[in-house]
Amino acid sequence: MRKALLSILFFYLFFILTFPKEQIWFAMENLAKEKGLFFNGEKIEKAPLTLKVENCEILNKGFDIGKLKNATFFISFFYNSVDLSGFVFKIDKTISLNSAKAAYSVLIPFKVVLKAKMSICDIEGEIDLKKRYITLYLNNIKDFNKVNKIFKNIKKNEKGYLFEKRF
């Protein structure tokens, strides 16, 4: 029994360490291109357990949206996450995404959990992949007008301000 568990653990670690992490980034780039979103000038650094993308300019149909300082992808079979930090919007440099995390687990297969801290508010929420629905709770709002520009049609409820959208 012990030998079988060690073999499974060995193959799992081998899978994580040899998983083609860069190909996931390139596949994500291709999916984004179909929607008119382009990444430019990024530096990709592969580590044993993660993939780091630094200094990535993000363009939407040729218009400069902003620059992402750092993105770290952790990919395993049971748990996957993306950590973002230092995104500054080009249109309004006073709005920035200080940190964000999206996490997916096979224990909850159709949900992605989100947490973010922006210069204008804090965000907690989830993406329901099956229903194709995003729910975000916006708290600690510092500038309501800027929040309302980014998140259209937000509603007030007992947990704070709510943004919902089908995608």
Side-chain angles (χ1 to χ4, degrees):
M1 179 72 171
R2 184 174 178 215
K3 210 175 198 183
L5 287 174
L6 284 173
S7 296
I8 291 170
L9 181 63
F10 172 76
F11 284 114
Y12 178 68
L13 288 174
F14 180 77
F15 171 76
I16 290 174
L17 294 174
T18 60
F19 191 78
K21 297 166 190 73
E22 290 171 318
Q23 279 68 20
I24 290 199
W25 172 255
F26 296 132
M28 189 181 84
E29 269 189 322
N30 288 333
L31 285 172
K33 281 180 188 176
E34 292 175 8
K35 302 288 184 185
L37 203 61
F38 296 92
F39 304 113
N40 190 20
E42 69 270 13
K43 178 185 166 198
I44 299 172
E45 184 180 313
K46 188 175 157 186
L49 297 176
T50 61
L51 178 74
K52 244 183 191 183
V53 178
E54 296 176 329
N55 299 321
C56 180
E57 293 177 10
I58 301 175
L59 307 158
N60 185 8
K61 297 177 184 169
F63 294 103
D64 196 354
I65 295 175
K67 189 169 188 173
L68 178 64
K69 183 178 178 184
N70 188 356
T72 304
F73 297 85
F74 175 76
I75 302 161
S76 75
F77 182 73
F78 298 107
Y79 178 81
N80 303 303
S81 69
V82 178
D83 290 313
L84 306 174
S85 65
F87 182 79
V88 178
F89 291 89
K90 203 66 150 191
I91 296 170
D92 188 346
K93 293 187 185 208
T94 62
I95 301 174
S96 64
L97 178 68
N98 302 331
S99 66
K101 182 172 186 150
Y104 169 81
S105 171
V106 294
L107 299 174
I108 310 170
F110 295 110
K111 299 234 190 246
V112 176
V113 178
L114 305 168
K115 275 191 172 192
K117 288 196 177 290
M118 293 182 71
S119 59
I120 55 174
C121 68
D122 295 339
I123 301 170
E124 287 188 34
E126 63 183 32
I127 300 172
D128 189 323
L129 299 172
K130 190 173 185 178
K131 294 179 183 174
R132 298 181 55 97
Y133 202 74
I134 186 167
T135 305
L136 301 176
Y137 291 99
L138 312 169
N139 296 308
N140 300 327
I141 296 176
K142 295 164 184 81
D143 190 340
F144 188 79
N145 290 331
K146 288 181 182 180
V147 169
N148 207 20
K149 278 183 187 177
I150 295 173
F151 303 100
K152 306 273 189 235
N153 303 320
I154 57 175
K155 303 171 206 159
K156 177 96 167 123
N157 72 5
E158 66 277 353
K159 289 187 179 180
Y161 286 92
L162 175 68
F163 171 79
E164 297 176 298
K165 185 165 181 147
R166 187 167 303 283
F167 61 94

